[in-house]
Amino acid sequence: MLGLLFLLGFAAARQNTAVSHESFYPEHVLRVTAQNYSLACQDRYSVVINGSVPGPELRIPEGKVTWIRVYNDMSDANLTMHWHGLTAFTAPFSDGTPAASQWPIPPNHFFDYEIRPEIGYAGSYFYHSHVGFQAVSASGPLIVEDSQPLPYTYDEERLVYLSDFFNKTDKTIEDGLVADPFTWSGETNAVLVNGNGRLTTDDPGTCALASINVEPGKTYRLRFIASTALSFVSLAIDSHDVAIIEADGHYTKPLNTSYLQMSSGQRYSVLLKAKTESELEQLNKRHFYIQFSTLERPSVLTGFSLLEYPNNTVDARVVPSEPPLPVANTTNGWIDYQLQPLVPHEDFPTLEEVTRRVTIQMYQNVSQHTIWLQNEYPWTEHVPQSPYLIDIYEGKLDPDTSYQRAIANGDGFDKITKTFPAKIGEVLEIVWQNEGAVSNGGVDTHPLHAHGRHYFDIGGGDGVYNATENEERLKTAHPILRDTTVLYRYREKTTPRAPSGWRAWRLRVTDAGVWMIHCHVLQHMIMGMQTVWTFGDRDEILTQGGPVTGSYLTYGGSAYGNSTHSPIVQHYFD
């Protein structure tokens, strides 16, 4: 009942009116094209946003509506734009997930996305295409600005935006991943910082590293955003320690660390105290390398960017002959049970409040056509004939019937709709269980990202999840809200289907809708490592979303503008 009252109150706050956008001016405009683009001093045919990689930094206020217009200027490919970490705080069709919550933007069309971050969610996010492998280059930073006084004091901000570079084109990579026989994409050729970097095979001096400029004695907030496709990195700054103060859009108590460990989709803000002039004189240097190494891959790639002080004379094109820091190894469970919210969460669900536990077994089936499975099923954006949310609106999919089948199935999965349904008011414990591959026992590490409202991350470990033992750990820990956390593998290989690591979440089901939860490695997503969740029954989903015109319910409908007409757009928020 409380969940339904919440939904009714939420819906009442919406205008829910159809508006012609003929004379409408959004706060931000993104134009997406596919073109030859130079990255790491290499030419690659890439999907780019506003002609650059990464796309422009967007800054939006918390607690207010922001409209972002996205043009698909490509002539031969669909597009969506996903607001990573903000998906419960958008209009129903603005999550940007094709086949789940909206029809994709057809070629030569545009779509107006409506976003309203809630108060308390100021922090570091990013946006990216959610179609195929486009997000390897089609992404950019998204900063939600505080409406309240900042809890930490610093002088300036700096952005450290991580992305991958692959020599192969998106199409070549996608075609290989779904081919029979299977063709792997190959490992990343370079990890870029703010779009800059170089291949490790380059001759010295051919391509400049990214430079982060700082002034002596100042305190900086460094926003680290991992928009990588594949790379899981360990990152450290020579001669500088930092304090973590934000994770995935939530302020934390300061946690001092000498390094960060970041998977695709994760974000951290840290405070860095710049050296004083006297300290720089003692060290006799005015540059320090930011060193990062890829983890959990067949070979280690080590790259660099520069932390530069004024009057530095070192050429940014020069890479150190020897890494200034030790090449990192994976720290399994890095900062688990250590990072704490700045303000304790009074609504953290206890074990006694959990109404249902859903365990999802994740493993690879290695054959000529290699796929990733969850509870014996792979999901790709080509599975449904139309988006799930559209089918719910049109009465073609009944979440309540799906829920009954999922409960009867015993593992929470409905084999007919290929969804994990849940009811409003439930308190879920979602356990991700890593297992050895069917044929060879191989195990991988996965960054797991949830659309919808953020969840409480309650930790992870080797073997199999034990709720009683983990609850003992939580007595001295204070779980934080996250939207992307790491399922570690703990070993490279084990017996086929043997457990090898777990990650557990808790969340209260409050937001009706269709939400994706998936591995954020782009290759794994294409190979089936995604799940679809429906929260609430049809009436609750329609109450939260409100009535819509047919403009959203058909591919290329009138909610999608083009050169001949402006879109008719629902305004959901006041």
Side-chain angles (χ1 to χ4, degrees), residues 18 104 113 153 172 181 187 233 238 297 324 362 443 459 461 466 468 534:
Y113 287 93
T153 301
T172 300
E187 299 301 305
V233 301
D238 182 24
R297 302 307 308 163
M362 309 180 73
V443 192
N466 183 305
T468 303
T534 58

Side-chain angles (χ1 to χ4, degrees), residues 485-498:
T485 48
V486 180
L487 174 64
Y488 293 91
R489 63 178 178 176
Y490 291 89
R491 57 193 53 80
E492 294 183 15
K493 188 170 287 191
T494 185
T495 305
R497 296 299 310 273

Side-chain angles (χ1 to χ4, degrees), residues 28 55-64 66 68 83-84 86 115 117-118 121-127 140-147 150 154 157-161 194 221-226 246 248-249 251 267-269:
H28 300 282
E57 178 182 297
L58 304 183
R59 300 188 79 95
I60 65 176
E62 65 176 346
K64 296 182 179 179
T66 296
I68 304 175
W83 320 99
H84 184 101
L86 287 180
I115 302 171
E118 291 182 350
Y121 282 80
S124 309
Y125 301 84
F126 66 109
Y127 59 90
L142 175 67
I143 309 302
V144 176
E145 297 184 313
D146 293 78
S147 62
L150 290 169
Y154 49 87
E157 291 186 11
R158 295 290 185 266
L159 178 70
V160 184
Y161 193 86
N194 298 340
R221 178 180 184 167
L222 304 183
R223 295 183 184 266
F224 288 89
I225 299 176
E246 178 225 338
D248 293 358
Y251 284 112
R267 294 92 60 210
Y268 293 100
S269 282

Side-chain angles (χ1 to χ4, degrees), residues 161-474:
Y161 193 86
L162 304 175
S163 58
D164 279 336
F165 173 77
F166 287 84
N167 284 325
K168 297 178 182 178
T169 65
D170 296 350
K171 186 177 188 308
T172 300
I173 290 172
E174 287 182 56
D175 288 349
L177 294 175
V178 299
D180 186 1
F182 166 80
T183 302
W184 175 235
S185 64
E187 299 301 305
T188 184
N189 299 112
V191 176
L192 308 179
V193 174
N194 298 340
N196 297 305
R198 50 175 286 180
L199 306 189
T200 55
T201 55
D202 277 355
D203 293 329
T206 59
C207 204
L209 305 176
S211 293
I212 310 297
N213 298 304
V214 295
E215 298 282 340
K218 286 187 175 181
T219 299
Y220 290 86
R221 178 180 184 167
L222 304 183
R223 295 183 184 266
F224 288 89
I225 299 176
S227 179
T228 52
L230 174 65
S231 295
F232 179 28
V233 301
S234 183
L235 183 150
I237 306 174
D238 182 24
S239 303
H240 293 71
D241 289 344
V242 297
I244 298 171
I245 60 164
E246 178 225 338
D248 293 358
H250 299 278
Y251 284 112
T252 68
K253 292 182 179 179
L255 181 64
N256 295 324
T257 181
S258 60
Y259 69 101
L260 298 178
Q261 194 167 276
M262 298 186 68
S263 68
S264 174
Q266 292 188 307
R267 294 92 60 210
Y268 293 100
S269 282
V270 305
L271 292 183
L272 176 141
K273 178 68 174 177
K275 302 292 184 186
T276 64
E277 279 291 353
S278 61
E279 289 173 323
L280 293 171
E281 289 174 5
Q282 289 179 346
L283 293 168
N284 193 30
K285 59 190 301 187
R286 304 188 72 83
H287 76 280
F288 301 86
Y289 284 104
I290 304 173
Q291 179 176 318
F292 44 86
S293 299
T294 56
L295 305 170
E296 303 296 296
R297 302 307 308 163
S299 60
V300 176
L301 185 154
T302 298
F304 307 92
S305 58
L306 275 175
L307 186 74
E308 284 195 275
Y309 287 82
N311 303 316
N312 170 49
T313 58
V314 169
D315 192 335
R317 294 172 297 178
V318 175
V319 171
S321 56
E322 294 292 334
L325 298 169
V327 175
N329 295 313
T330 304
T331 303
N332 290 320
W334 180 71
I335 68 173
D336 283 354
Y337 309 100
Q338 299 177 51
L339 196 60
Q340 299 184 26
L342 182 62
V343 178
H345 295 289
E346 296 180 357
D347 60 340
F348 169 65
T350 63
L351 181 60
E352 289 74 20
E353 292 180 86
V354 172
T355 59
R356 186 159 58 100
R357 180 175 299 121
V358 179
T359 299
I360 303 177
Q361 299 160 323
M362 309 180 73
Y363 58 94
Q364 191 180 66
N365 185 7
V366 181
S367 61
Q368 283 190 313
H369 176 55
T370 303
I371 57 176
W372 284 98
L373 302 99
Q374 299 80 217
N375 288 6
E376 302 181 356
Y377 188 78
W379 191 92
T380 72
E381 62 190 51
H382 306 292
V383 169
Q385 297 300 307
S386 56
Y388 287 96
L389 185 58
I390 305 298
D391 284 350
I392 291 171
Y393 265 87
E394 294 190 327
K396 298 176 183 177
L397 191 158
D398 179 17
D400 191 57
T401 302
S402 296
Y403 181 85
Q404 301 304 324
R405 285 195 296 258
I407 295 299
N409 192 44
D411 62 358
F413 179 64
D414 175 25
K415 295 181 180 180
I416 304 298
T417 61
K418 319 302 182 190
T419 61
F420 287 85
K423 287 190 174 296
I424 298 297
E426 283 193 282
V427 178
L428 295 182
E429 193 166 83
I430 301 175
V431 179
W432 303 92
Q433 183 65 60
N434 223 343
E435 295 184 351
V438 171
S439 60
N440 62 9
V443 192
D444 212 338
T445 293
H446 306 287
L448 297 170
H449 170 57
H451 297 215
R453 191 164 292 276
H454 296 183
Y455 54 79
F456 287 100
D457 182 86
I458 60 171
D462 196 1
V464 178
Y465 175 66
N466 183 305
T468 303
E469 290 180 0
N470 198 57
E471 197 69 8
E472 285 299 311
R473 291 184 183 180
L474 295 178

